[in-house]
Amino acid sequence: MSPIAPPRGTKDLLPDEAPAWRWLHETHASVAGRHGYELIDTPMFEATDLFARGVGSGTDVVEKEMYTFADRGGRSLTLRPEGTAPVLRAVLGARLEQRWRPVRVHYAMAMFRYDRPQAGRQRQFTQVGIECIGDRDPSYDAEVIEVAWRFMAQLRIDGISLQLNTLGDRDDRLRYREALSAYYTPLRDSLCDDCRRRLEVNPLRLLECTRDAQHVAGAPLLRDHLSGESRGYFADVVTHLDEAGIPYTHNQRLVRGLDYYAHTAFEFWHTSLAGAQNALGGGGRYDGLAEEIGFPATAGVGYALGVERLLIVAANQGVAPVAQPPAQLVVCTATAAGAKEARKIARHLRDRTTVIADLSARRLDKKLRDADRLGARLALLVGLDEGLVLRNLRTRAQQVVTADTVLDAVSAELLQAAQEGVP
RNA sequence: GUGGCUAUAGCUCAGUUGGUUAGAGUGCCAGGUUGUGGCCCUGGAGGUCGAGGGUUCAAGUCCCUCUAGCCCCCCCA
């Protein structure tokens, strides 16, 4: 029988990578928290309608990437492919926007999309993100971008490029869509298959095609179809970003793959990721989403960043923390007689530091070797003729101690190690 | 969902035009050392050669299907 393999496109978090994983999540919670964002979490699956209506039926996510299934009660459910619609549902469902506005929440959640896996692209992946819900002011768009920016700066990741665009409001996009159709329809026969489909389903996506680049170059620009109000909104966002000292590239071809975005849309790109997977994350404003999922119209803006991709970049740049030793001290029995005493002392020492007890029948040299291998600083040998022996695994110096003095001796050794600045 | 590359020990990889019982380095375990990490010496475990089928006297090697990883499209995270 062959061993059971993990499902395609999934990945285990092993102890070696856990410190970097934890570091990233704690940093995100800390940076978001410092801006007043509170933790939220939502179910891993939702009613399929939440995404079909919220994200948009013409999008790739809904059209071909969702894990949708019927439960035993015949309900159509879908594993969460993105976080914004569920978080908005949770916030508005609980009427949180009636406490104070805007509601600021941050999250770290697993997402599921059925796609062909590649490096940096999995079927289950994790996003950290924030949502700022309940007020429509350009300063919040800038605030959200700034939190993402500060977060990645705190991770000491550099080389990030902020791609910024405005999609205007609904009327702007309707006008623009007509202009795009008018431009592309005569060209229909010379378009690639995908673009012919886009022309029917989602004309904005025509702008992102790389095969029909010559057509894109001559296509009308959304900028020329924006209302004065939309232009002013974008100008305000840009002003706030300038004040915050956050550089950006105005990318007029950035349209985002989810239907709910309006006005501000942005992505964070990084060149050290492979060309195909260069986006660390993105976000934008989604003022129409609340109504799409059956709630009173409520403004919102947020971002989501891919944890696995951030960790790839962090590892490439050598900024992710490495694994710490699981214990500072290993209590080793030198003879079988010491087992009971060793357990008792280990219990005692855990008041002071991290302790592993090795009571196995293996030879003492193997125990010491393993204690050193796992990175412990000290070993306490129990069951020797001369009594308890505390050995420093780095200096190889050792001293005889008693049950009464062992705690102080351990403290002294650890203090000295700390003063020497060794990790 | 389309096309391409790849798959041999825990890891990195050899394996000739198809030819005995599939190898190396490293790692792992044990002994040398009944009580001290390294080095060294000795011994050992570990492979249905990704899975299944086919061709052949004979398949790790050739053919087909499947699975998985990576890459390109695509999409985004």
Tab-separated table of all heavy atoms in Angstrom, chain A residues 8 116 198 205 210 257 276 278-280 309 363 372 385-386 393, chain B residues 2-3 28-29 31-32 35-38 69 71 74-77:
chain	number	residue	atom	x	y	z
A	8	ARG	N	-3.469	17.441	-3.683
A	8	ARG	CA	-2.739	18.287	-4.614
A	8	ARG	C	-2.908	19.760	-4.252
A	8	ARG	O	-4.009	20.218	-3.954
A	8	ARG	CB	-3.262	18.049	-6.029
A	8	ARG	CG	-2.532	18.845	-7.047
A	8	ARG	CD	-2.794	18.371	-8.446
A	8	ARG	NE	-1.716	18.870	-9.286
A	8	ARG	CZ	-1.828	19.113	-10.574
A	8	ARG	NH1	-2.956	18.879	-11.188
A	8	ARG	NH2	-0.810	19.567	-11.242
A	116	ARG	N	-4.244	25.177	-11.115
A	116	ARG	CA	-3.074	24.315	-11.260
A	116	ARG	C	-1.950	24.826	-10.394
A	116	ARG	O	-1.504	25.949	-10.560
A	116	ARG	CB	-2.644	24.241	-12.719
A	116	ARG	CG	-3.355	23.104	-13.429
A	116	ARG	CD	-3.057	23.075	-14.877
A	116	ARG	NE	-1.681	22.693	-15.156
A	116	ARG	CZ	-1.314	22.116	-16.298
A	116	ARG	NH1	-2.208	21.851	-17.211
A	116	ARG	NH2	-0.055	21.828	-16.514
A	198	ARG	N	-13.875	37.636	-23.202
A	198	ARG	CA	-13.867	38.794	-22.301
A	198	ARG	C	-14.787	39.902	-22.837
A	198	ARG	O	-15.438	40.602	-22.074
A	198	ARG	CB	-12.442	39.358	-22.171
A	198	ARG	CG	-11.493	38.478	-21.394
A	198	ARG	CD	-10.139	39.158	-21.269
A	198	ARG	NE	-9.177	38.318	-20.567
A	198	ARG	CZ	-8.068	37.847	-21.112
A	198	ARG	NH1	-7.756	38.127	-22.376
A	198	ARG	NH2	-7.224	37.107	-20.417
A	205	ARG	N	-11.358	43.327	-18.547
A	205	ARG	CA	-10.226	42.407	-18.521
A	205	ARG	C	-9.449	42.392	-19.835
A	205	ARG	O	-8.339	41.890	-19.906
A	205	ARG	CB	-10.715	40.999	-18.200
A	205	ARG	CG	-11.599	40.968	-16.993
A	205	ARG	CD	-11.131	39.971	-16.025
A	205	ARG	NE	-9.828	40.319	-15.521
A	205	ARG	CZ	-9.311	39.774	-14.452
A	205	ARG	NH1	-9.957	38.855	-13.818
A	205	ARG	NH2	-8.138	40.139	-14.039
A	210	THR	N	-1.994	39.951	-22.696
A	210	THR	CA	-0.637	40.187	-23.182
A	210	THR	C	-0.498	39.775	-24.639
A	210	THR	O	0.419	40.215	-25.323
A	210	THR	CB	0.368	39.382	-22.332
A	210	THR	OG1	-0.129	38.050	-22.183
A	210	THR	CG2	0.534	40.013	-20.977
A	257	GLY	N	-9.363	41.141	-10.444
A	257	GLY	CA	-10.167	40.024	-10.921
A	257	GLY	C	-11.513	39.848	-10.245
A	257	GLY	O	-12.256	38.960	-10.595
A	276	ALA	N	5.231	35.033	-13.447
A	276	ALA	CA	3.812	34.689	-13.485
A	276	ALA	C	3.142	34.923	-12.137
A	276	ALA	O	1.956	35.182	-12.064
A	276	ALA	CB	3.642	33.232	-13.894
A	278	ASN	N	3.891	37.273	-9.627
A	278	ASN	CA	4.621	38.370	-9.021
A	278	ASN	C	3.787	39.191	-8.046
A	278	ASN	O	4.283	40.146	-7.482
A	278	ASN	CB	5.222	39.278	-10.084
A	278	ASN	CG	4.150	39.957	-10.904
A	278	ASN	OD1	2.980	39.596	-10.808
A	278	ASN	ND2	4.534	40.931	-11.676
A	279	ALA	N	2.531	38.844	-7.852
A	279	ALA	CA	1.697	39.647	-6.963
A	279	ALA	C	1.738	39.098	-5.542
A	279	ALA	O	1.460	37.930	-5.307
A	279	ALA	CB	0.263	39.681	-7.468
A	280	LEU	N	2.120	39.942	-4.612
A	280	LEU	CA	2.081	39.570	-3.200
A	280	LEU	C	0.680	39.730	-2.645
A	280	LEU	O	0.333	39.114	-1.642
A	280	LEU	CB	3.032	40.462	-2.401
A	280	LEU	CG	4.513	40.189	-2.607
A	280	LEU	CD1	5.339	41.280	-1.957
A	280	LEU	CD2	4.879	38.834	-2.034
A	309	ARG	N	3.545	33.593	-0.335
A	309	ARG	CA	4.415	34.380	-1.227
A	309	ARG	C	5.282	35.347	-0.449
A	309	ARG	O	6.450	35.545	-0.774
A	309	ARG	CB	3.568	35.132	-2.260
A	309	ARG	CG	2.967	34.192	-3.272
A	309	ARG	CD	2.245	34.915	-4.370
A	309	ARG	NE	1.525	33.944	-5.183
A	309	ARG	CZ	0.706	34.268	-6.172
A	309	ARG	NH1	0.492	35.542	-6.465
A	309	ARG	NH2	0.103	33.324	-6.866
A	363	ARG	N	22.666	5.322	25.350
A	363	ARG	CA	23.938	5.688	25.967
A	363	ARG	C	24.017	7.194	26.164
A	363	ARG	O	23.447	7.962	25.397
A	363	ARG	CB	25.097	5.224	25.082
A	363	ARG	CG	25.284	3.733	25.112
A	363	ARG	CD	26.168	3.245	23.996
A	363	ARG	NE	27.086	4.255	23.482
A	363	ARG	CZ	28.217	3.964	22.874
A	363	ARG	NH1	28.585	2.704	22.744
A	363	ARG	NH2	28.971	4.905	22.386
A	372	ASP	N	22.849	18.524	22.022
A	372	ASP	CA	23.603	19.532	21.284
A	372	ASP	C	22.966	19.792	19.933
A	372	ASP	O	22.827	20.931	19.489
A	372	ASP	CB	25.043	19.056	21.110
A	372	ASP	CG	25.901	20.113	20.446
A	372	ASP	OD1	25.811	21.275	20.857
A	372	ASP	OD2	26.640	19.768	19.510
A	385	ASP	N	27.577	9.106	40.093
A	385	ASP	CA	28.037	8.886	41.460
A	385	ASP	C	28.235	10.194	42.214
A	385	ASP	O	27.894	10.311	43.395
A	385	ASP	CB	29.366	8.118	41.457
A	385	ASP	CG	29.160	6.693	40.946
A	385	ASP	OD1	27.994	6.225	40.981
A	385	ASP	OD2	30.135	6.072	40.503
A	386	GLU	N	28.779	11.217	41.524
A	386	GLU	CA	29.099	12.466	42.227
A	386	GLU	C	27.872	13.340	42.451
A	386	GLU	O	27.959	14.393	43.073
A	386	GLU	CB	30.175	13.250	41.464
A	386	GLU	CG	29.791	13.670	40.056
A	386	GLU	CD	30.245	12.667	38.991
A	386	GLU	OE1	30.102	11.454	39.234
A	386	GLU	OE2	30.713	13.092	37.934
A	393	LEU	N	26.910	22.968	27.242
A	393	LEU	CA	27.184	22.248	25.994
A	393	LEU	C	28.027	23.071	25.029
A	393	LEU	O	28.562	22.527	24.069
A	393	LEU	CB	25.873	21.823	25.338
A	393	LEU	CG	25.085	20.755	26.114
A	393	LEU	CD1	23.694	20.568	25.511
A	393	LEU	CD2	25.822	19.429	26.132
B	2	U	P	-6.525	19.783	-20.094
B	2	U	OP1	-6.863	18.572	-20.838
B	2	U	OP2	-5.786	19.693	-18.823
B	2	U	O5'	-5.734	20.760	-21.065
B	2	U	C5'	-6.288	21.108	-22.322
B	2	U	C4'	-5.355	21.977	-23.107
B	2	U	O4'	-5.245	23.271	-22.466
B	2	U	C3'	-3.911	21.491	-23.175
B	2	U	O3'	-3.722	20.470	-24.142
B	2	U	C2'	-3.166	22.773	-23.520
B	2	U	O2'	-3.308	23.095	-24.883
B	2	U	C1'	-3.945	23.806	-22.693
B	2	U	N1	-3.290	24.037	-21.374
B	2	U	C2	-2.209	24.890	-21.366
B	2	U	O2	-1.779	25.438	-22.368
B	2	U	N3	-1.632	25.077	-20.136
B	2	U	C4	-2.025	24.512	-18.933
B	2	U	O4	-1.403	24.786	-17.912
B	2	U	C5	-3.157	23.638	-19.039
B	2	U	C6	-3.739	23.436	-20.232
B	3	G	P	-2.642	19.286	-23.861
B	3	G	OP1	-2.787	18.271	-24.936
B	3	G	OP2	-2.761	18.880	-22.444
B	3	G	O5'	-1.254	20.027	-24.067
B	3	G	C5'	-0.787	20.315	-25.372
B	3	G	C4'	0.455	21.157	-25.311
B	3	G	O4'	0.184	22.341	-24.510
B	3	G	C3'	1.663	20.530	-24.626
B	3	G	O3'	2.374	19.630	-25.461
B	3	G	C2'	2.474	21.758	-24.245
B	3	G	O2'	3.122	22.297	-25.368
B	3	G	C1'	1.354	22.709	-23.798
B	3	G	N9	1.104	22.563	-22.353
B	3	G	C8	0.041	21.952	-21.748
B	3	G	N7	0.116	21.969	-20.438
B	3	G	C5	1.310	22.636	-20.174
B	3	G	C6	1.930	22.964	-18.944
B	3	G	O6	1.535	22.715	-17.802
B	3	G	N1	3.137	23.637	-19.134
B	3	G	C2	3.664	23.959	-20.372
B	3	G	N2	4.834	24.604	-20.368
B	3	G	N3	3.095	23.662	-21.527
B	3	G	C4	1.925	23.006	-21.352
B	28	C	P	23.163	11.990	11.318
B	28	C	OP1	22.819	12.848	12.462
B	28	C	OP2	24.522	11.414	11.206
B	28	C	O5'	22.127	10.781	11.245
B	28	C	C5'	20.736	11.012	11.324
B	28	C	C4'	19.980	9.716	11.255
B	28	C	O4'	20.220	9.075	9.973
B	28	C	C3'	20.418	8.663	12.259
B	28	C	O3'	19.831	8.873	13.534
B	28	C	C2'	19.955	7.366	11.603
B	28	C	O2'	18.569	7.191	11.761
B	28	C	C1'	20.236	7.672	10.131
B	28	C	N1	21.557	7.157	9.694
B	28	C	C2	21.694	5.788	9.421
B	28	C	O2	20.710	5.053	9.572
B	28	C	N3	22.890	5.311	9.016
B	28	C	C4	23.923	6.145	8.872
B	28	C	N4	25.085	5.637	8.463
B	28	C	C5	23.814	7.538	9.153
B	28	C	C6	22.612	8.005	9.549
B	29	C	P	20.687	8.584	14.837
B	29	C	OP1	19.898	9.133	15.963
B	29	C	OP2	22.087	9.003	14.641
B	29	C	O5'	20.658	6.999	14.926
B	29	C	C5'	19.427	6.309	15.092
B	29	C	C4'	19.667	4.826	15.083
B	29	C	O4'	20.071	4.419	13.748
B	29	C	C3'	20.810	4.341	15.951
B	29	C	O3'	20.447	4.224	17.319
B	29	C	C2'	21.142	3.003	15.315
B	29	C	O2'	20.177	2.021	15.649
B	29	C	C1'	20.990	3.340	13.832
B	29	C	N1	22.267	3.746	13.221
B	29	C	C2	23.164	2.742	12.844
B	29	C	O2	22.860	1.561	13.058
B	29	C	N3	24.339	3.078	12.268
B	29	C	C4	24.629	4.365	12.065
B	29	C	N4	25.798	4.654	11.494
B	29	C	C5	23.739	5.411	12.445
B	29	C	C6	22.571	5.059	13.012
B	31	G	P	25.333	0.973	21.330
B	31	G	OP1	24.937	0.479	22.666
B	31	G	OP2	25.542	2.422	21.097
B	31	G	O5'	26.644	0.207	20.867
B	31	G	C5'	26.746	-1.198	21.020
B	31	G	C4'	27.987	-1.714	20.348
B	31	G	O4'	27.951	-1.351	18.948
B	31	G	C3'	29.306	-1.125	20.832
B	31	G	O3'	29.753	-1.719	22.037
B	31	G	C2'	30.229	-1.406	19.653
B	31	G	O2'	30.605	-2.770	19.624
B	31	G	C1'	29.282	-1.143	18.472
B	31	G	N9	29.394	0.242	17.988
B	31	G	C8	28.531	1.290	18.207
B	31	G	N7	28.928	2.392	17.629
B	31	G	C5	30.121	2.053	17.000
B	31	G	C6	31.016	2.835	16.218
B	31	G	O6	30.931	4.025	15.916
B	31	G	N1	32.101	2.088	15.790
B	31	G	C2	32.304	0.761	16.061
B	31	G	N2	33.420	0.219	15.556
B	31	G	N3	31.477	0.021	16.781
B	31	G	C4	30.416	0.723	17.214
B	32	G	P	30.633	-0.864	23.078
B	32	G	OP1	30.876	-1.745	24.241
B	32	G	OP2	30.007	0.446	23.262
B	32	G	O5'	32.003	-0.668	22.301
B	32	G	C5'	32.798	-1.787	21.965
B	32	G	C4'	33.963	-1.387	21.098
B	32	G	O4'	33.474	-0.747	19.903
B	32	G	C3'	34.902	-0.348	21.713
B	32	G	O3'	35.819	-0.968	22.600
B	32	G	C2'	35.575	0.231	20.474
B	32	G	O2'	36.625	-0.617	20.020
B	32	G	C1'	34.436	0.190	19.437
B	32	G	N9	33.780	1.492	19.266
B	32	G	C8	32.604	1.937	19.827
B	32	G	N7	32.278	3.154	19.466
B	32	G	C5	33.311	3.535	18.621
B	32	G	C6	33.519	4.753	17.920
B	32	G	O6	32.819	5.763	17.893
B	32	G	N1	34.690	4.712	17.172
B	32	G	C2	35.560	3.640	17.109
B	32	G	N2	36.645	3.792	16.344
B	32	G	N3	35.380	2.513	17.753
B	32	G	C4	34.243	2.529	18.478
B	35	G	P	27.580	3.529	31.545
B	35	G	OP1	28.097	2.951	32.813
B	35	G	OP2	26.217	4.056	31.458
B	35	G	O5'	28.566	4.685	31.108
B	35	G	C5'	28.123	5.649	30.183
B	35	G	C4'	28.886	6.918	30.425
B	35	G	O4'	28.613	7.384	31.784
B	35	G	C3'	30.391	6.763	30.322
B	35	G	O3'	30.899	7.984	29.825
B	35	G	C2'	30.819	6.631	31.769
B	35	G	O2'	32.152	7.076	32.006
B	35	G	C1'	29.839	7.605	32.438
B	35	G	N9	29.677	7.365	33.866
B	35	G	C8	29.345	6.218	34.508
B	35	G	N7	29.270	6.370	35.810
B	35	G	C5	29.573	7.694	36.018
B	35	G	C6	29.658	8.433	37.210
B	35	G	O6	29.461	8.046	38.372
B	35	G	N1	30.002	9.747	36.971
B	35	G	C2	30.236	10.291	35.738
B	35	G	N2	30.560	11.576	35.696
B	35	G	N3	30.160	9.623	34.603
B	35	G	C4	29.825	8.326	34.823
B	36	U	P	31.977	8.004	28.676
B	36	U	OP1	31.721	6.856	27.791
B	36	U	OP2	33.278	8.173	29.340
B	36	U	O5'	31.661	9.314	27.849
B	36	U	C5'	30.368	9.487	27.227
B	36	U	C4'	30.216	10.933	26.856
B	36	U	O4'	29.586	11.637	27.952
B	36	U	C3'	31.527	11.637	26.577
B	36	U	O3'	31.360	12.583	25.540
B	36	U	C2'	31.806	12.360	27.898
B	36	U	O2'	32.592	13.521	27.744
B	36	U	C1'	30.395	12.713	28.348
B	36	U	N1	30.271	12.854	29.816
B	36	U	C2	30.113	14.120	30.313
B	36	U	O2	30.072	15.105	29.601
B	36	U	N3	29.986	14.191	31.667
B	36	U	C4	30.007	13.144	32.552
B	36	U	O4	29.878	13.365	33.752
B	36	U	C5	30.177	11.849	31.962
B	36	U	C6	30.307	11.756	30.636
B	37	G	P	32.099	12.339	24.158
B	37	G	OP1	32.167	10.892	23.910
B	37	G	OP2	33.321	13.147	24.174
B	37	G	O5'	31.105	12.957	23.106
B	37	G	C5'	29.889	12.272	22.766
B	37	G	C4'	29.065	13.170	21.900
B	37	G	O4'	28.565	14.260	22.715
B	37	G	C3'	29.834	13.799	20.755
B	37	G	O3'	28.989	13.956	19.632
B	37	G	C2'	30.196	15.181	21.297
B	37	G	O2'	30.367	16.153	20.300
B	37	G	C1'	28.984	15.490	22.168
B	37	G	N9	29.318	16.387	23.265
B	37	G	C8	30.110	16.126	24.348
B	37	G	N7	30.232	17.138	25.146
B	37	G	C5	29.470	18.126	24.557
B	37	G	C6	29.234	19.453	24.959
B	37	G	O6	29.664	20.033	25.966
B	37	G	N1	28.403	20.119	24.070
B	37	G	C2	27.877	19.572	22.936
B	37	G	N2	27.103	20.360	22.206
B	37	G	N3	28.087	18.346	22.538
B	37	G	C4	28.894	17.682	23.392
B	38	G	P	29.486	13.242	18.318
B	38	G	OP1	28.395	13.441	17.353
B	38	G	OP2	29.947	11.881	18.653
B	38	G	O5'	30.741	14.107	17.861
B	38	G	C5'	30.555	15.432	17.355
B	38	G	C4'	31.875	15.985	16.924
B	38	G	O4'	32.731	16.133	18.083
B	38	G	C3'	32.689	15.095	15.984
B	38	G	O3'	32.281	15.269	14.644
B	38	G	C2'	34.106	15.572	16.230
B	38	G	O2'	34.351	16.786	15.563
B	38	G	C1'	34.069	15.840	17.736
B	38	G	N9	34.479	14.647	18.490
B	38	G	C8	33.702	13.866	19.311
B	38	G	N7	34.354	12.865	19.839
B	38	G	C5	35.645	12.995	19.337
B	38	G	C6	36.794	12.199	19.553
B	38	G	O6	36.897	11.198	20.268
B	38	G	N1	37.886	12.680	18.842
B	38	G	C2	37.872	13.773	18.040
B	38	G	N2	39.013	14.089	17.432
B	38	G	N3	36.808	14.535	17.821
B	38	G	C4	35.738	14.080	18.501
B	69	G	P	1.290	18.799	-6.722
B	69	G	OP1	0.912	19.553	-5.508
B	69	G	OP2	0.513	18.972	-7.960
B	69	G	O5'	2.816	19.099	-7.053
B	69	G	C5'	3.786	19.097	-6.028
B	69	G	C4'	5.160	19.283	-6.623
B	69	G	O4'	5.446	18.193	-7.529
B	69	G	C3'	5.339	20.532	-7.474
B	69	G	O3'	5.581	21.687	-6.705
B	69	G	C2'	6.534	20.142	-8.342
B	69	G	O2'	7.728	20.247	-7.608
B	69	G	C1'	6.249	18.664	-8.601
B	69	G	N9	5.512	18.454	-9.858
B	69	G	C8	4.171	18.234	-10.015
B	69	G	N7	3.816	18.086	-11.261
B	69	G	C5	4.992	18.228	-11.977
B	69	G	C6	5.243	18.166	-13.373
B	69	G	O6	4.450	17.970	-14.283
B	69	G	N1	6.590	18.370	-13.656
B	69	G	C2	7.567	18.597	-12.730
B	69	G	N2	8.806	18.777	-13.195
B	69	G	N3	7.350	18.646	-11.418
B	69	G	C4	6.053	18.454	-11.116
B	71	C	P	7.627	27.222	-10.784
B	71	C	OP1	8.383	28.391	-10.292
B	71	C	OP2	6.196	27.067	-10.451
B	71	C	O5'	7.775	27.140	-12.373
B	71	C	C5'	9.017	27.420	-12.985
B	71	C	C4'	8.932	27.221	-14.483
B	71	C	O4'	8.550	25.855	-14.794
B	71	C	C3'	7.878	28.040	-15.219
B	71	C	O3'	8.263	29.387	-15.415
B	71	C	C2'	7.755	27.264	-16.524
B	71	C	O2'	8.863	27.514	-17.365
B	71	C	C1'	7.836	25.825	-16.020
B	71	C	N1	6.496	25.263	-15.797
B	71	C	C2	5.772	24.830	-16.911
B	71	C	O2	6.287	24.949	-18.026
B	71	C	N3	4.533	24.317	-16.742
B	71	C	C4	4.016	24.220	-15.524
B	71	C	N4	2.798	23.702	-15.411
B	71	C	C5	4.728	24.663	-14.362
B	71	C	C6	5.955	25.166	-14.541
B	74	C	P	-1.313	34.933	-20.873
B	74	C	OP1	-1.817	35.967	-21.802
B	74	C	OP2	-0.132	35.215	-20.042
B	74	C	O5'	-2.498	34.467	-19.938
B	74	C	C5'	-3.698	33.970	-20.501
B	74	C	C4'	-4.496	33.218	-19.477
B	74	C	O4'	-3.756	32.060	-19.034
B	74	C	C3'	-4.786	33.968	-18.184
B	74	C	O3'	-5.841	34.907	-18.313
B	74	C	C2'	-5.107	32.826	-17.238
B	74	C	O2'	-6.411	32.334	-17.480
B	74	C	C1'	-4.093	31.780	-17.684
B	74	C	N1	-2.861	31.839	-16.861
B	74	C	C2	-2.843	31.117	-15.670
B	74	C	O2	-3.848	30.460	-15.354
B	74	C	N3	-1.728	31.160	-14.890
B	74	C	C4	-0.676	31.889	-15.263
B	74	C	N4	0.382	31.890	-14.473
B	74	C	C5	-0.679	32.638	-16.478
B	74	C	C6	-1.777	32.583	-17.232
B	75	C	P	-5.588	36.383	-17.770
B	75	C	OP1	-6.745	37.176	-18.223
B	75	C	OP2	-4.215	36.811	-18.109
B	75	C	O5'	-5.666	36.211	-16.188
B	75	C	C5'	-6.912	35.928	-15.575
B	75	C	C4'	-6.708	35.135	-14.312
B	75	C	O4'	-5.623	34.204	-14.491
B	75	C	C3'	-6.292	35.924	-13.078
B	75	C	O3'	-7.394	36.577	-12.458
B	75	C	C2'	-5.700	34.816	-12.206
B	75	C	O2'	-6.740	34.066	-11.620
B	75	C	C1'	-4.996	33.951	-13.254
B	75	C	N1	-3.561	34.290	-13.343
B	75	C	C2	-2.709	33.705	-12.408
B	75	C	O2	-3.191	32.934	-11.566
B	75	C	N3	-1.388	34.013	-12.442
B	75	C	C4	-0.915	34.849	-13.356
B	75	C	N4	0.386	35.112	-13.349
B	75	C	C5	-1.768	35.463	-14.322
B	75	C	C6	-3.066	35.161	-14.279
B	76	C	P	-7.373	38.184	-12.324
B	76	C	OP1	-8.743	38.518	-11.899
B	76	C	OP2	-6.808	38.803	-13.531
B	76	C	O5'	-6.364	38.502	-11.137
B	76	C	C5'	-6.743	38.411	-9.792
B	76	C	C4'	-6.079	37.231	-9.163
B	76	C	O4'	-5.043	36.735	-10.053
B	76	C	C3'	-5.339	37.476	-7.872
B	76	C	O3'	-6.207	37.501	-6.771
B	76	C	C2'	-4.421	36.262	-7.832
B	76	C	O2'	-5.143	35.116	-7.446
B	76	C	C1'	-4.041	36.094	-9.310
B	76	C	N1	-2.718	36.635	-9.677
B	76	C	C2	-1.577	36.134	-9.034
B	76	C	O2	-1.709	35.274	-8.156
B	76	C	N3	-0.360	36.622	-9.385
B	76	C	C4	-0.268	37.543	-10.330
B	76	C	N4	0.944	37.992	-10.645
B	76	C	C5	-1.408	38.072	-10.995
B	76	C	C6	-2.595	37.586	-10.638
B	77	A	P	-5.874	38.356	-5.444
B	77	A	OP1	-7.097	38.434	-4.643
B	77	A	OP2	-5.233	39.572	-5.934
B	77	A	O5'	-4.789	37.523	-4.633
B	77	A	C5'	-4.608	37.795	-3.254
B	77	A	C4'	-3.313	37.210	-2.757
B	77	A	O4'	-3.384	35.765	-2.733
B	77	A	C3'	-2.097	37.560	-3.597
B	77	A	O3'	-0.970	37.691	-2.781
B	77	A	C2'	-1.924	36.351	-4.488
B	77	A	O2'	-0.612	36.145	-4.905
B	77	A	C1'	-2.393	35.228	-3.571
B	77	A	N9	-3.002	34.125	-4.300
B	77	A	C8	-4.078	34.184	-5.134
B	77	A	N7	-4.414	33.019	-5.625
B	77	A	C5	-3.490	32.146	-5.082
B	77	A	C6	-3.305	30.769	-5.227
B	77	A	N6	-4.084	30.001	-5.979
B	77	A	N1	-2.287	30.194	-4.548
B	77	A	C2	-1.519	30.973	-3.791
B	77	A	N3	-1.592	32.284	-3.581
B	77	A	C4	-2.606	32.811	-4.262
